[in-house]
Amino acid sequence: MQTLLYTAPHTVELRDLAAPTPQDGALRLRVDAVGICGSDLHAFKGHDPRRNPPLVLGHEFVGTALDGPRAGQRFTA
């Protein structure tokens, strides 16, 4: 999967990483859009000690379920 990886303060890299394996009962989503919020910017600037590199930024997203009984439905988080 294509990710924006925070590697150091003021440094991000576009990388292809292996998609995580969903746990039982979880949905696999195709991410259709993702946002960068204030906490991502604080991490990028090195102002958030809780977010240590390497870290995939972008936790606000909308996606479509890929399989299972909810395939095709859209979700946001």
Side-chain angles (χ1 to χ4, degrees), residues 22-29 64-71 73 75:
Q23 298 176 358
D24 288 342
L27 290 174
R28 209 169 46 102
L29 301 177
T64 305
L66 292 174
D67 43 30
R70 300 186 85 175
Q73 286 185 318
F75 293 85

Side-chain angles (χ1 to χ4, degrees), residues 27-72:
L27 290 174
R28 209 169 46 102
L29 301 177
R30 178 190 67 234
V31 175
D32 299 319
V34 65
I36 301 295
C37 75
S39 61
D40 294 323
L41 292 176
H42 287 293
F44 173 75
K45 293 178 180 181
H47 297 163
D48 189 340
R50 298 170 298 164
R51 291 178 173 83
N52 298 309
L55 179 66
V56 176
L57 299 176
H59 58 266
E60 297 174 352
F61 65 91
V62 62
T64 305
L66 292 174
D67 43 30
R70 300 186 85 175

Side-chain angles (χ1 to χ4, degrees), residues 3-27:
T3 65
L4 185 63
L5 188 67
Y6 165 57
T7 57
H10 301 277
T11 306
V12 291
E13 298 175 13
L14 193 58
R15 287 208 191 156
D16 285 318
L17 298 179
T21 303
Q23 298 176 358
D24 288 342
L27 290 174

